[in-house]
Amino acid sequence: MGIDPRDLSDADLLKELETIHRTRHDTLLHAPEDALSAHSVRMTELEAEYLRRHPDRPVTPGRTREGARAREA
C-alpha cells in the first residue's frame, strides 16, 4: 500500500498528499468499494503523518468557525 509515511521525506510526503487529495473526488465517484477503502486508509495515514510532523502548523483565521462567522457578518 505504498511506502510507510514515516519513511517519506517531507517533500515526498507533501507530494503524496497532493496526489491523493487530487484523486479523491474521482475515487469517491467511480472506484469500487475496495479501492475507495484503500484510498481512505492511505489518505488517513498520510494526513496523520503530516500532522505528527507539524503539530503547530499555521491555521488560517478564515478557516475557523469564528473566522467564518466574521465573513458572514
Side-chain angles (χ1 to χ4, degrees):
M1 205 56 192
I3 298 171
D4 186 322
R6 293 172 295 186
D7 295 333
L8 294 169
S9 67
D10 284 345
D12 286 337
L13 178 60
L14 284 175
K15 184 177 177 182
E16 290 281 325
L17 281 165
E18 289 168 1
T19 299
I20 205 157
H21 287 135
R22 187 175 57 251
T23 61
R24 183 62 179 180
H25 187 74
D26 190 57
T27 303
L28 174 65
L29 295 179
H30 304 293
E33 186 62 35
D34 60 334
L36 178 60
S37 178
H39 198 274
S40 297
V41 168
R42 182 65 173 171
M43 187 171 62
T44 299
E45 291 172 349
L46 292 166
E47 289 176 346
E49 179 59 18
Y50 180 85
L51 293 172
R52 186 189 70 77
R53 292 184 194 187
H54 304 282
D56 297 321
R57 73 195 196 291
V59 175
T60 304
R63 302 289 297 185
T64 64
R65 281 189 184 155
E66 184 177 321
R69 288 183 182 132
R71 282 194 315 265
E72 293 172 0

